[in-house]
Each structure stands twice: as structure tokens, then as C-alpha cells.
Amino acid sequence: MNFVFISPHFPSHYANFADRLHKMGVNVLGIADASYDSLAPGLKESLTEYYRVNDMENYDEVMRAVAYFTHKYGKIDVLESFNEYWLELDAKLRTDFNIEGTKYPEVLESKRKYLMKSHFEKAGVPSARCHLVTTREEGAKFVAEVGYPVFVKPDIGVGAYASYKIKNEEEFNAFYDNYPSVPYVMEEFVDGLIVTFDGICDYNNEPIFITNHVFPDNVADTVNNKTDLFYFSNRVIDPKLMEAGKAVVKSFNTKARFFHFEFFKLNSAKKGLGKKGDYVALEVNMRPPGGCMPELMNYEHDTDVYQIYADMIVHNKLYQSTEKKYVGIYCGRNDAYNYVHTHEEICEKYGYNLMMSTRVDEIFSAVMGNTMYLLRAEDQKTAEEIAKFIQEKC
């Protein structure tokens, strides 16, 4: 089996995908613009061959790399980057080389927030009314329909960057007076808790691994207010979320890949969307969840999601455990703040719970913080106690 891995070195823990596939006898063929010498030793050992291009944004260069691998190793069976930024590149390459998986322009239906709406409708899952931003006049009509506040965000974007609430006419006019250079969408505001529906589908578009996480604070607020990120997993997935999540899976082409969906759990009833506790579709991402959430998934399940993926790719079967054994916990800390408890005190008090602690790559720090802690606990109450201890500020 030939597996082309686009940008296998970033983020660094994605080398685990190469490792697991390589150990199962797969030819893992890497393409990126990093020098071979800069690759981690473990990644080098896992790659059958590496092709360095000068510019990943130059499609012709990357296409030539895939053509070279095809000539040398035969037909490419799978091509993935697992990276939101390269999903369109992946799809174009699959289209040009007739590789199984999401093609172009189908990929835009899972990247453009405006186009996702038709899939939510097909799935029978409600979503916020949405306006693809054009003129100020059209925007005013939309606001007249849904009322303030509204929420604006890039039509293609990730991590809540440049996303914020517009609460009144003054802020509405300021948005149009300084209109961004990229397409935006405007949505009716939904008061809800953000929860995820994450997992891996097999070649039959059936989820073989499912988990979910809860964000007590809106991620956009975390970015805009520079607060500490905290999220945790549920030991048991709400049946309502399971039903909505599986319906959305079926409405997209999620064959043989990770998925990371986001929903609102309504804090109160909202006309047209549902009653308190119902789920409203927010967005989909056809990739592993960001940051080190795959690592957290491993800790909370005592499993190996990288091996689950490799087993699915090679055998289309599940061999690893999928039982949720713990509440997974993510706690971020920012260098801009002083905290009551030192790292040593955290290790002393919660060493049993602490699975991993490390610095965060600068590119992710606006959302994730500068230092992250991955932990696990027996229940949600303990998870909240741990987060309070780690993130308590002076």
C-alpha cells in the first residue's frame, strides 16, 4: 500500500501516523518543504521516501512529487495531510491522480461554513441562520430578520481566529467600514455550550471510534479576551448528540478519515433551533481535532488513535479499545499571567492525573496558551477542581 503524507512533520505528533502505518508495512511517502535533515529521527525512520519541494503553495511542484512517487511505487492508495490548511491541496491531488477520498471541489462543502449549511439541513440537524456577507444593505436586512447580536467569522477559517460578536449598529458599521479581505459569514447568535463530536470513519462511512469534548467557555472569547483554554471530555456521550453527530457524518463523505464536528448545546430554547439541551450544528472539519486532542483521546480511552487509524486504512477493521475510561482534561496557561500554583506544585498535587505537560508551538498559542497540561480524572467534578488549581491566577 502506498500512502502519500503531505507535510508529515507538522504538527510534530503527526509523525505517529507515519510510524503506525510504516510498522504495518505501508510505504509512507512524505512531501513537504522542510529539509530532510530537519525532520525528527523517528519520522525519518517511518518514511519510505521523502520528497522536498521548494514551495508547498506551488501546486505544480507538489504535483510533480506525487507523479514521481506514482512512477516509482505505483498507484497511490491514500493521500492525506490531516491538516486543515492543506485540505484543498489534498483534494486537488486526489482529483488529478484519481486517488480515493474527497475530491475537488467537493472539499469546499466541508471547508466553507456557508456551504456546510445544506449538509446540516440534509442531516435534519438545525443550524443558525446564515448570511454570506456581501453589501452593508444586505447585512442590514439579515440583522433585521434575526436581530442583534450576530456573529461574524471567515467563511473558511479555523480556531475562532478573527471571529466575534456584533452587538449593535455601531459595531455593525465598524465591521463594514473595515471589512476584511477574505469572505465572511454572518450568523444569528446562538447561546449554547460548544461540544465536539470526534472520531474515525471506516471505508463504509461508518464511525468506528467516537468521542466528544466540552468547551465551557466559547473559543472565540478565549482568543479575543486572551483567557485560558480549558476543555474536558464526557465519559458518556449524550444520546441526543450521538444521534445528531451520526446524522451529520452520513450527510458528508467522511470515508476512511478522521472527523471533528462542533455543535452548540442550547442553554435556553430558541425559536427555530430547539429547546434547552438540544443540539445545533456549528461546523465540520474533516481532519483530526486540533492541537494535542488526539493525545488526550489516547489518555482518556487508554488506547492509540493513530493505530486505530492505521488499522482502518490497512484492514478496514477496529482492533483497539474504544471504551472511555476517564474524563480527559486540557488546561492552558499564558505567559502573560502569574499563577498561584507553580508547575512543581501541580505535579505534586496532581501527578497521578497528569499525563503530559509541554510548551505550545507559537502558531497555536493564541487559542491553546503557551503551556499546556493534559490530564485525566475519574469524573467531571475532579476535572473542574484540577482546572481551577492549574489556572488560578495571582
Side-chain angles (χ1 to χ4, degrees), residues 69-125:
F69 284 145
T70 301
H71 176 74
K72 184 171 181 179
Y73 296 96
K75 179 172 172 54
I76 305 303
D77 299 289
V78 184
L79 183 147
E80 282 286 355
S81 69
F82 305 102
N83 192 311
E84 184 74 25
Y85 189 83
W86 300 119
L87 291 184
E88 286 186 52
L89 173 65
D90 297 347
K92 290 176 180 177
L93 290 167
R94 291 191 202 103
T95 301
D96 286 344
F97 288 90
N98 194 28
I99 301 168
E100 286 296 316
T102 304
K103 305 291 201 297
Y104 192 89
E106 177 192 6
V107 66
L108 297 177
E109 296 177 13
S110 59
K111 279 186 65 69
R112 291 190 57 194
K113 295 176 176 61
Y114 188 71
L115 296 181
M116 294 174 192
K117 298 290 183 177
S118 63
H119 285 271
F120 299 149
E121 183 177 0
K122 176 183 174 183
V125 179

Side-chain angles (χ1 to χ4, degrees), residues 193 214 216 230 232-236 326-329 377-387:
L193 190 68
V214 179
F230 161 56
F232 61 90
S233 66
N234 286 316
R235 287 283 296 268
V236 179
Y326 302 93
V327 173
I329 311 160
E378 297 291 338
D379 52 60
Q380 184 179 331
K381 181 181 178 182
T382 305
E384 291 172 350
E385 290 173 357
I386 291 172

Side-chain angles (χ1 to χ4, degrees), residues 226 333-339 370 393:
K226 295 181 172 59
R333 304 218 302 190
N334 287 279
D335 290 347
Y337 303 125
N338 292 317
Y339 294 88
N370 302 107
K393 298 178 180 62

Side-chain angles (χ1 to χ4, degrees), residues 228-276:
D228 291 333
L229 178 64
F230 161 56
Y231 63 82
F232 61 90
S233 66
N234 286 316
R235 287 283 296 268
V236 179
I237 299 177
D238 185 341
K240 285 185 178 180
L241 176 62
M242 184 73 79
E243 182 181 2
K246 285 187 173 181
V248 174
V249 165
K250 290 298 182 185
S251 72
F252 282 93
N253 176 11
T254 49
K255 293 179 182 178
R257 67 186 315 150
F258 268 87
F259 59 86
H260 170 60
F261 299 166
E262 296 178 8
F263 293 82
F264 286 115
K265 184 177 183 180
L266 293 178
N267 289 328
S268 58
K270 188 171 179 66
K271 186 177 180 180
L273 295 180
K275 61 182 182 297
K276 180 179 178 180

Side-chain angles (χ1 to χ4, degrees), residues 12 22 25 50 57 77 90 96 102 128 143 178 220 265 294 296 309 317 328 354-355 394:
S12 59
H22 170 73
Y50 179 70
E57 304 284 357
D77 299 289
D90 297 347
D96 286 344
T102 304
V143 172
N178 301 278
K265 184 177 183 180
L296 189 60
Y309 176 82
K317 290 185 179 179
L354 182 60
M355 298 290 105
C394 296

Side-chain angles (χ1 to χ4, degrees), residues 150-166:
V150 293
F151 199 80
V152 293
K153 53 189 176 183
D155 189 26
I156 295 179
V158 63
Y161 291 108
S163 304
Y164 50 92
K165 186 174 10 176
I166 292 177

